[in-house]
Structures are given as C-alpha cells and as structure tokens.
Amino acid sequence: MTSPAIRDRTVLVTGGGGFIGSHLVEALAPYNDVRVLDNFSTGSRDNLSSVTSPQWTNDAPTSADGGFDDAGGGGDAGDAGDAGDARYDGSPTIIDGDITDPMALQRAARGVDLIFHQAALVSVAKSVDAPRRSNETNLDASLLVLDQARQEDARVVLASSAAVYGHPDELPVSETARTEPTSPYGIQKLALDQYARRYHELYDLPTVALRYFNAYGPRQQGPYSGVISTFLEQARSDDPITIEGDGEQTRDFVHVSDVVRANIRAATTDAVGEAYNVGTGDRTSIRDLAELVRDAVGSSSPIVHREPRPGDIRHSRADVSKASRELGFETRVGLESGIRSLVAETGSEQGRSTSPPQEQGQGQGQGQQQQQQQQQPLTARPERQSQD
Ligand code: UD2
C-alpha cells in the first residue's frame, strides 16, 4: 500500500456530492479535514454516506511530482504512512449551499489549504437552452472560488473539459490545440481554464485546470450522465442500446479513479498555472462500446441506431504526454476492466462497493496501448486506427 499524498490538510471539494467530487472526497477524507459545498441538485448525500476504498486514489506522488507539503506532515513517496494511518473518521463536513452564493462559499472556504472545484452544471444541452443560467454556475461561481482562494492563500484545482477544443483539427488533441468550443458549456469551461492560468500569472495563485475527457464510473447517473451509464441501464433492462448516428464516432473514456488520481497529482505538483488533459490516450468507437457493455452485462439487448446528435463531436482523444511529463500521471484502469467493475459494483446498489477496478501495472497511454491490447484482449472489436 502506498502513502497518502495529501494528509492533514483542510480541503474543500465544491460539488463534493456529485459523481467525480464524491470519489475525490472518498480518497481524501480518511487523511484530511474535508469539507463539501454542494446544493445537491444533481449530486446526493448518499454518495457521501460511506468511505469505501480510498487506497486506490490518494496515493503518493511519483518522483516526477513535487509533493504538496514540503513543510512536513504531507505524504511523500518515501513517507511511512499507509491507509492504517487514517486519523479522520472519513466523514466530510457538509455545507449545504449553492456555489453561486458568496456567503456559503466564504463559510466553506474559511481556513482551507486546498480547493478542488468540481461544482458545475454539466449538461451541455442545458447550457444551450439557458446559457446565462449555466454561466452563473460554471463561470461566475468559478471566479468567486478563485477570489476566495486568494483570500485564503489556497491552491485550486479546477475541473475543465475537453469541450474547450470543440471539433479538434487533429488527434490526439494536445493542450496547445486550437480552442473553439461549440457550446456555452465549452465556452464557460474555456474561460474558467484561462482565468485559472491568469490568476496564477497575475496574483501568483497556485492553480491547475484539468481538462477531463469522457469520465465514467460508479455514481454517474441521470439524464445527462454519459453514454456508458445510459448503455449500462439499457443493457441491464434488455432494452435496445441506442447508438446516435453510425456509431463510428470515438471517445477517450477515462475511469473516475484515474480522474481522482489526476486531481491528486494536480494538487501536489510544482507545475502550476497550467492546464492538463485528463484522458487515457486511447479511443473507442461508440459501436464497440455498445458491444463491450452488452457483453459485460450478458444482455440480449439489440443494438439500434437513431438520429445523430446535432453538433456531435466526431472523434476525441487526449494527448496525455504533458500530464505524464509534468504530473507523472498515467491512467491505470483500462476500459474493459473499468466497465466490468462498473457492472459488478452497480449490480445491486449504485456506486456502493469495496472492490475497485483491476488496475494495470503500467499506464495505458498511447505508447502502451498496443502492449495493453496484447495483454488484455478486448471483447469488442479492436479500434480502427484509420479513423483519426
Ligand atoms: C462529453 C461530456 C461533456 C463535454 C464533452 C466535450 C460526458 C457525459 N459529457 O460529451 O460534458 O465535456 O464531452 O466534448 O462526459 N451516445 C449514443 N447514445 C446515447 C448517448 C450518447 O450514441 O444514448 C453517443 C453521443 O452521440 C456521442 C457519444 O455517445 O457521440 C458520447 O456522448 P456523451 O453524452 O457521453 O458525451 P460527449 O462526448 O457528447
């Protein structure tokens, strides 16, 4: 077991009741004084009801990583601490409030060392319907968070998105690629991402923006929750699995435990004032995904096609070299293993489990993709390299 990378800190997770935020809380709460600010509009208190398997997320930084606490107390690769060190009861302090409310934020952030800003209205469709409303939550509130962090002299790790790129000119898409968001949501995330970097430059605030690709895992639910959770639900009920368009579009699916690990790296790196892609460097077509999910469930669902989604991005795949180089971040969970564990974990009750997905010993970025496919053949058809 490795030592926790972040320990004995006062940490605020905005949106801590949500899909990614609650996994982050789970990783941090045994070792830190964790606060959650959430209005529970899409997240839930159930997501925070028990700490399950923190050991696979808040682990020590690699040698490429500067370490968050150089004044002692924080975990370093050589620290003796392990999960047996947990000195906190694993329960975060919950502040039930809206991220757009400056008073609630002020209360939640008082005295914190570190803020993980995960709160957002994640529905791209809703941002199209109500751009100003989503702007308030996704951008105005992010500025409140950045200003509050300045007051507290706290580091901030912010959830950005692959949506900042819009339709990429080439794949894999690197952080220096053209940013041309196609939705208000993407515009808001791009502005957040740029504010984060400028706050570092202008005010010397340690910030890191993480551009998530297609995250998936337990507790991802609801109408805008993502294709994997939708397919899983359809396969479980033996309903038709609905592919939008021809299914040849591709995505870079990254397991939530890897997203959490990227956040931990971002919180401990010296390379602040930057944005990093958080993906695997691999891509999977939606058609292959449908088969993968159906096989994992053992379902007899037919796979059907319906109209393509207007404005859908055709292909998306992260260039992960910057995160690997600067953060020492490599993903550990392959898609097949991630889906199988998701099927097992959510079989009875959404997201409650003590069995994390099987991790690969190696990262599974572009360089390792071929090797990984030889070691762990996918049930679904191999990817078509010509699609890039
Ligand atoms: C993801 C993010 C979004 C934004 C965007 C950036 C999620 C849930 N959304 O949107 O927040 O960051 O990336 O580019 O991660 N599909 C089907 N059938 C279904 C549902 C979806 O075929 O029932 C297709 C859909 O048309 C698309 C793909 O699956 O081609 C992925 O859809 P998604 O909604 O999971 O995520 P995406 O990439 O649109």
Side-chain angles (χ1 to χ4, degrees):
M1 184 158 305
T2 53
S3 59
I6 300 172
R7 197 164 60 188
D8 298 327
R9 294 278 144 179
T10 306
V11 182
L12 169 63
V13 183
T14 72
F19 162 48
I20 295 173
S22 65
H23 285 277
L24 201 45
V25 170
E26 190 172 279
L28 296 163
Y31 314 104
N32 298 279
D33 177 5
V34 176
R35 299 179 198 162
V36 164
L37 175 61
D38 204 306
N39 65 3
F40 299 103
S41 60
T42 52
S44 96
R45 286 174 184 274
D46 280 355
N47 287 345
L48 297 167
S49 62
S50 73
V51 171
T52 53
S53 45
Q55 74 278 8
W56 45 276
T57 46
N58 181 16
D59 54 355
T62 66
S63 53
D65 197 315
F68 177 64
D69 183 7
D70 51 17
D76 220 343
D79 260 359
D82 62 23
D85 278 353
R87 279 192 274 132
Y88 299 82
D89 67 1
S91 310
T93 304
I94 296 174
I95 295 111
D96 193 336
D98 200 295
I99 188 71
T100 58
D101 173 2
M103 298 312 286
L105 179 61
Q106 208 174 47
R107 194 154 51 93
R110 193 164 295 136
V112 297
D113 304 302
L114 176 59
I115 301 174
F116 291 97
H117 179 42
Q118 302 293 318
L121 279 181
V122 296
S123 164
V124 175
K126 277 192 179 163
S127 83
V128 173
D129 290 346
R132 280 176 51 212
R133 170 71 195 91
S134 67
N135 198 80
E136 279 168 23
T137 299
N138 293 342
L139 186 57
D140 296 348
S142 300
L143 275 173
L144 289 177
V145 168
L146 286 166
D147 281 339
Q148 197 61 43
R150 281 183 72 198
Q151 298 267 325
E152 304 296 340
D153 206 12
R155 175 183 289 229
V156 198
V157 179
L158 303 97
S160 180
S161 168
V164 302
Y165 298 116
H167 298 282
D169 290 332
E170 54 180 38
L171 295 174
V173 60
S174 86
E175 289 84 350
T176 53
R178 186 174 56 91
T179 47
E180 193 73 46
T182 56
S183 64
Y185 173 83
I187 294 170
Q188 292 148 15
K189 288 292 181 180
L190 179 58
L192 160 154
D193 186 303
Q194 291 187 334
Y195 268 123
R197 285 178 288 153
R198 294 298 86 85
Y199 265 57
H200 173 63
E201 218 170 78
L202 297 170
Y203 312 119
D204 205 24
L205 185 72
T207 63
V208 177
L210 295 178
R211 296 176 178 173
Y212 301 158
F213 280 65
N214 288 64
Y216 72 98
R219 302 179 209 149
Q220 189 179 34
Q221 46 197 318
Y224 301 104
S225 60
V227 63
I228 291 186
S229 66
T230 304
F231 282 1
L232 191 57
E233 223 177 285
Q234 292 170 332
R236 279 225 169 91
S237 350
D238 287 327
D239 286 340
I241 295 180
T242 52
I243 292 179
E244 294 168 347
D246 62 7
E248 298 301 321
Q249 69 268 40
T250 57
R251 292 294 185 274
D252 184 337
F253 293 103
V254 56
H255 191 267
V256 68
S257 63
D258 284 322
V259 174
V260 169
R261 290 176 51 261
N263 274 273
I264 302 296
R265 294 287 184 269
T268 54
T269 185
D270 288 334
V272 293
E274 296 285 336
Y276 298 97
N277 285 343
V278 176
T280 64
D282 295 333
R283 71 212 157 85
T284 303
S285 74
I286 299 304
R287 172 184 291 281
D288 286 349
L289 179 75
E291 289 173 8
L292 200 55
V293 172
R294 185 172 62 176
D295 286 355
V297 172
S299 157
S300 56
S301 289
I303 293 177
V304 299
H305 291 260
R306 59 182 189 202
E307 283 302 296
R309 189 186 287 182
D312 195 33
I313 304 284
R314 190 65 178 160
H315 299 297
S316 172
R317 174 157 74 104
D319 180 335
V320 291
S321 53
K322 183 177 175 189
S324 164
R325 198 174 55 244
E326 305 287 335
L327 302 182
F329 170 68
E330 304 280 351
T331 52
R332 292 183 181 170
V333 180
L335 184 59
E336 186 182 14
S337 148
I339 286 177
R340 288 199 185 286
S341 78
L342 186 59
V343 169
E345 286 173 25
T346 55
S348 50
E349 200 188 341
Q350 258 285 343
R352 301 261 72 87
S353 167
T354 52
S355 56
Q358 208 182 347
E359 293 180 348
Q360 287 146 5
Q362 302 272 321
Q364 49 149 27
Q366 293 149 260
Q368 286 110 5
Q369 182 183 359
Q370 217 172 6
Q371 187 191 1
Q372 176 207 332
Q373 283 180 346
Q374 280 163 6
Q375 288 168 343
Q376 297 199 335
L378 294 174
T379 333
R381 290 199 307 267
E383 298 174 49
R384 281 170 287 272
Q385 295 296 332
S386 58
Q387 285 178 350
D388 269 3

